Amino acid sequence: MSLRVAVQMDPLETINIAGDSSFALMLAAQARGHSVMHYDVKSLAYESGRLTAWAAPAKVQKVEGDHFAREDYRQIDLVKDVDVVLMRQDPPFDLSYITATHLLERLEGQTLVVNDPASVRNAPEKVFVLDFAQYMPPTLIARRIEDVRAFHARHPGDLVMKPLHGNGGKAVIRIPADGSNLGALIELFDNAWVEPHMFQPFLEEISEGDKRIVLVDGEVAGAINRRPGAGEFRSNLAQGGYAEATTLTPREEEICAALGPALKARGLVFVGIDVIGGKWLTEINVTSPTGIVAIDRFNGTDTPALIWDAIERRQSALRN
């Protein structure tokens, strides 16, 4: 079954082919005989029930500096010309991102969108995870400094402060136990973001790593452990962390078993969850998850193949 695949993602020129999950998915799609088109989310247009984008057929190859060839961009109909849309542009999860999910939701029942846009909109990383609070560290989402000070009093020690809709470890800040910089940081965050912020006790276990576990259609596909680099407490690979092979703890297996049915039911085909210390669930990444290249490098697996198996099953069911 040959599929016409449109990939909504950042410019092909900017990707790092050594670790980019979207690039790996495009390579795997080609290997299966699927045709691939690239478009920018900013080119989406809706008129009289018709959703279009300016897309260019593309060929990708794993050659540094010569990793893609692209034809001219032209307007395509995301129903008539496309079987599958991969929604893979990077966050921020802002009004632009939310608007794109509303537009892509118009394709329901006609073109398969992965991950399901309505579910992506309703399951931002640091909010959807609250549905599984029994696996999380103590967590506060608030904006008033009085609420934060009360939370800190209940959980003395260092705190971690995060933007509620941030990504890639950006602007994640450690607040010392004395709270000396708390007021200034809340002022800074309040000026930068209109939404409340997330606060959690600093977990010493982060020195042992932050595990990224990938689930495909609700089933565990693999995992890597990410350790902080020198002089950092953030373990995100984008922030200088490094990856190592790992296995799942019984607690992590329990977390995945609890999440799996909910992810599958929501049409969240490709998801990456983050677990610290083998037991603390901190995020459920659904917008543009990463990590599959490193997972496959360490484990000898083929996660893009698992993702395309799941996509093909869903697309076949949609046709029938």
Side-chain angles (χ1 to χ4, degrees):
M1 174 175 60
S2 179
L3 298 176
R4 299 164 299 171
V5 180
V7 187
Q8 176 179 297
M9 62 180 288
D10 298 324
L12 289 171
E13 291 85 351
T14 65
I15 60 176
N16 172 15
I17 68 170
D20 190 273
S21 294
S22 301
F23 184 75
L25 289 171
M26 294 172 76
L27 282 172
Q30 279 185 184
R32 292 183 173 223
H34 304 326
S35 61
V36 176
M37 294 173 279
H38 168 271
Y39 75 90
D40 189 301
V41 64
K42 295 175 184 176
S43 76
L44 285 175
Y46 178 85
E47 181 181 2
S48 302
R50 182 170 177 251
L51 185 62
T52 63
W54 282 85
K59 298 282 188 181
V60 293
Q61 58 181 1
K62 204 167 185 179
V63 178
E64 190 69 47
D66 186 26
H67 60 276
F68 74 94
R70 185 174 55 209
E71 298 179 24
D72 292 338
Y73 282 92
R74 60 178 183 266
Q75 189 180 57
I76 62 168
D77 186 305
L78 291 181
V79 172
K80 294 179 180 178
D81 302 323
V82 177
D83 300 304
V84 177
V85 171
L86 295 185
M87 187 169 59
R88 292 289 307 170
Q89 88 267 20
D90 289 339
F93 189 81
D94 55 13
L95 278 175
S96 174
Y97 210 110
I98 291 169
T99 300
T101 67
H102 281 293
L103 292 175
L104 290 172
E105 192 179 0
R106 305 285 173 178
L107 303 176
E108 184 177 6
Q110 303 172 90
T111 300
L112 179 67
V113 183
V114 177
N115 285 323
D116 178 85
S119 293
V120 168
R121 183 176 65 249
N122 295 331
E125 275 78 352
K126 297 180 182 70
V127 178
F128 180 33
V129 69
L130 301 177
D131 287 0
F132 304 92
Q134 68 270 33
Y135 300 113
M136 295 179 67
T139 298
L140 171 72
I141 296 176
R143 195 173 174 89
R144 294 175 67 250
I145 192 168
E146 294 85 356
D147 295 326
V148 182
R149 292 198 188 282
F151 178 79
H152 198 189
R154 292 191 295 274
H155 303 283
D158 290 7
L159 288 180
V160 170
M161 183 177 184
K162 312 174 186 179
L164 192 60
H165 297 304
N167 69 295
K170 300 183 186 75
V172 175
I173 295 174
R174 183 174 177 176
I175 298 169
D178 64 7
S180 56
N181 59 349
L182 180 58
L185 287 173
I186 288 182
E187 288 175 7
L188 180 66
F189 271 50
D190 284 353
N191 286 327
W193 293 282
V194 297
E195 65 267 22
H197 324 302
M198 176 174 273
F199 301 85
Q200 293 170 329
F202 176 76
L203 302 174
E204 296 290 346
E205 296 98 322
I206 191 62
S207 62
E208 302 167 13
D210 177 4
K211 201 168 293 185
R212 164 57 58 90
I213 306 170
V214 166
L215 294 95
V216 176
D217 232 5
E219 300 291 333
V220 174
I224 51 168
N225 194 43
R226 303 170 299 181
R227 287 184 179 268
E232 262 288 355
F233 72 91
R234 298 174 295 178
S235 58
N236 308 75
L237 302 185
Q239 303 300 333
Y242 63 93
E244 61 185 13
T246 191
T247 57
L248 300 192
T249 67
R251 167 81 166 188
E252 289 166 339
E253 291 176 349
E254 179 186 343
I255 291 171
C256 292
L259 267 62
L263 300 178
K264 186 169 185 177
R266 288 171 177 252
L268 297 171
V269 174
F270 176 14
V271 173
I273 69 170
D274 297 335
V275 182
I276 294 177
K279 60 182 179 180
W280 296 117
L281 176 66
T282 58
E283 292 190 16
I284 303 174
N285 298 276
V286 304
T287 50
S288 183
T290 61
I292 59 176
V293 175
I295 286 172
D296 290 344
R297 184 170 66 247
F298 283 112
N299 299 337
T301 48
D302 190 353
T303 306
L306 295 177
I307 294 170
W308 280 110
D309 286 345
I311 291 172
E312 289 168 6
R313 286 194 302 269
R314 286 180 174 265
Q315 209 281 332
S316 178
L318 180 62
R319 281 180 173 175
N320 299 328

